[in-house]
Amino acid sequence: MEEIKMVDLNGQYERIKREVDEAIQKVLDSTAFIKGPDVKAFELALASYLDAGTVISCANGTDALQIAMMALELKPGDEVITTPFTFVATVEVLKLLGLKPVFVDIEPGTFNIDIDKLKIKISSRTKAIVPVHLFGQCANMERLSAFASEYGLYIIEDAAQSLGCNYRFSDASVRKSGTIGTIGCTSFFPSKNLGAFGDGGALFTNNPILAAKLQALVNHGMIQRYHYDYVGVNSRLDTLQAAILNVKLKHLDEYNRARQSAAEFYDNALGELKDITIPSRSKFSDHIFHQYTLRVLGGKRDELKNHLEKSSVPAMIYYPVPLHLQKAYADLGYKIGDFPIAEQACHEVLSLPMHTELSEEQLYFITERIIEFVN
Ligand SMILES: *Cc1c(COP(=O)(O)O)cnc(C)c1O
């Protein structure tokens, strides 16, 4: 059996190597390293795949979030609601812009924002909500959208882990994750469901005025060569990355299906085990399993992780410490017990190997090691 990896980028590359190498060589030959034709081509292809008005590429997912906040002209002191159980980037950009992160606890099943706990967090300074579609499954966007229109709030979707995920509204309409709110943000970090061979990110919006502004902001606020209407940033997607992403985008649905079938194997093998909770599925959203995350009950999570590692099965804790208890964010004034569901998740979650190249033999081996641990 081949070595089990948490993420197998090599196996995925091998399958499309010829096509990717040709695309890279073409960029090298053209030397159009910045704003080459592949960048526009990728933005258009992704917009068409997502059925999004406009896609604006940028240098990484963290920048995408920051640029979204800048485009909406959020001002220092404005409050932005999100959860403390996410990757740090979501909150980091708020602090960098002088905005105030206001946390809401998560749902125990989906790990996404608990909308029942949102209302009391709204103040006169609240300007936006950032739902993070964690681990590949959308937050309840229907209720969130209703909420945002009632209170006049922007929604900035953090779709870094959910690119390609479908969300179903109660009227049966279906939208892709990231295209429902005011602005959607995603990341092409190599291990994401659509990964580049380096950093990359993108913003989506259906609003043409915002789209034009985002387009300017990613490129120094420039609207026409050497004419600047905004204070912007330098955050462009390299042509090389765009060329690679153009090849890989054609495979995104197939990649997400491969993750789903690995998840199904895990579900079937682990669904009935004592002290193990398999990921729950939202009624409204597909799950594209950026991560396959168990809860291990009874305080045995770290023990199970060690047990797996002894058999060379990697497993990761996303995330071990919630953001409200991180030193860098201590000035927000939160304490232990403020977000009990997120805190409990940090003690119980364990993500299993998840990528597009897992074989049945490997999945069998992984699940057998878990079964022997609980028995
Ligand atoms: C990866 C990730 C980001 C940041 O993306 P980068 O491209 O690494 O900057 C933001 N939010 C979430 C939830 C992520 O998983």
Side-chain angles (χ1 to χ4, degrees):
M1 186 175 67
E2 280 197 39
E3 181 196 345
I4 298 172
K5 297 178 191 153
M6 198 64 201
V7 176
D8 180 2
L9 299 178
N10 202 267
Q12 197 184 59
Y13 169 51
E14 284 302 326
R15 287 169 190 267
I16 52 170
K17 182 172 173 11
R18 198 182 45 83
E19 221 185 329
V20 168
D21 290 1
E22 272 174 21
I24 292 174
Q25 190 59 51
K26 249 179 81 184
V27 178
L28 298 185
D29 292 339
S30 76
T31 69
F33 298 124
I34 302 289
K35 290 181 137 240
D38 291 299
V39 177
K40 191 75 277 90
F42 173 64
E43 290 177 341
L44 292 174
L46 185 57
S48 149
Y49 170 83
L50 294 171
D51 196 14
T54 310
V55 168
I56 298 103
S57 60
C58 65
N60 56 68
T62 309
D63 278 3
L65 289 161
Q66 177 175 333
I67 292 159
M69 309 288 163
M70 290 167 68
L72 296 170
E73 296 184 19
L74 303 189
K75 297 282 182 309
D78 284 350
E79 294 178 3
V80 178
I81 291 176
T82 191
T83 80
F85 191 66
T86 173
F87 181 58
V88 69
T90 319
V91 172
E92 176 181 68
V93 301
L94 301 178
K95 288 290 280 178
L96 285 172
L97 294 173
L99 307 173
K100 185 177 171 199
V102 173
F103 292 126
V104 169
D105 212 345
I106 54 171
E107 301 175 335
T110 63
F111 305 108
N112 283 329
I113 191 165
D114 185 341
I115 294 162
D116 289 331
K117 295 180 177 164
L118 209 158
K119 195 165 182 165
I120 53 163
K121 295 301 178 89
I122 304 252
S123 81
S124 58
R125 309 219 64 165
T126 309
K127 292 287 154 44
I129 306 172
V130 183
V132 183
H133 306 308
L134 205 71
F135 302 148
Q137 178 169 242
C138 292
N140 187 333
M141 290 305 291
E142 182 145 7
R143 280 192 67 196
L144 214 50
S145 304
F147 211 90
S149 31
E150 183 181 344
Y151 290 90
L153 308 174
Y154 298 120
I155 296 180
I156 298 146
E157 296 181 68
D158 183 339
Q161 302 188 3
S162 62
L163 193 68
C165 179
N166 287 316
Y167 184 86
R168 283 173 300 280
F169 285 87
S170 49
D171 67 0
S173 63
V174 175
R175 301 273 290 278
K176 291 277 189 211
S177 170
T179 67
I180 301 163
T182 322
I183 299 176
C185 300
T186 202
S187 163
F188 307 118
F189 186 81
S191 63
K192 298 284 155 85
N193 290 38
L194 178 62
F197 289 9
D199 278 310
L203 296 124
F204 330 130
T205 183
N206 297 314
N207 175 329
I209 297 167
L210 266 180
K213 193 162 172 188
L214 291 168
Q215 195 73 70
L217 284 172
V218 299
N219 192 25
H220 301 291
M222 189 164 87
I223 40 134
Q224 173 192 339
R225 193 172 280 259
Y226 302 124
H227 290 76
Y228 309 97
D229 279 16
Y230 313 103
V231 178
V233 292
N234 174 5
S235 181
R236 294 172 300 232
L237 183 69
D238 288 350
T239 312
L240 273 170
Q241 299 304 337
I244 293 160
L245 287 166
N246 249 333
V247 173
K248 292 189 76 180
L249 176 60
K250 291 183 238 138
H251 300 277
L252 178 57
D253 283 342
E254 161 202 327
Y255 290 159
N256 286 342
R257 276 195 300 272
R259 288 170 179 272
Q260 286 164 338
S261 73
E264 210 170 299
F265 190 104
Y266 282 140
D267 278 355
N268 290 333
L270 308 174
E272 306 294 325
L273 297 184
K274 187 165 122 8
D275 289 338
I276 299 281
T277 308
I278 59 170
S280 72
R281 314 291 184 94
S282 139
K283 288 197 288 283
F284 324 101
S285 171
D286 286 351
H287 201 322
I288 56 163
F289 292 98
H290 175 61
Q291 298 295 343
Y292 185 92
T293 304
L294 299 174
R295 275 180 187 268
V296 186
L297 312 181
K300 288 191 283 199
R301 190 263 316 268
D302 294 350
E303 222 183 300
L304 172 56
K305 184 170 188 286
N306 289 335
H307 175 80
L308 291 172
E309 278 162 4
K310 267 187 239 142
S311 311
S312 299
V313 174
M316 296 287 283
I317 298 168
Y318 303 116
Y319 298 94
V321 181
L323 296 178
H324 69 285
L325 301 179
Q326 298 279 358
K327 190 170 161 192
Y329 300 97
D331 65 323
L332 295 174
Y334 291 113
K335 57 184 189 314
I336 293 178
D338 283 345
F339 305 101
I341 310 296
E343 290 168 26
Q344 191 180 349
C346 291
H347 291 298
E348 293 180 347
V349 289
L350 189 64
S351 296
L352 300 182
M354 177 49 79
H355 54 78
T356 57
E357 312 301 315
L358 283 162
S359 67
E360 288 234 343
E361 187 189 17
Q362 291 176 321
L363 288 164
Y364 182 78
F365 185 84
I366 297 163
T367 52
E368 284 300 303
R369 299 290 78 73
I370 297 171
I371 292 163
E372 78 194 7
F373 175 82
V374 297
N375 285 334

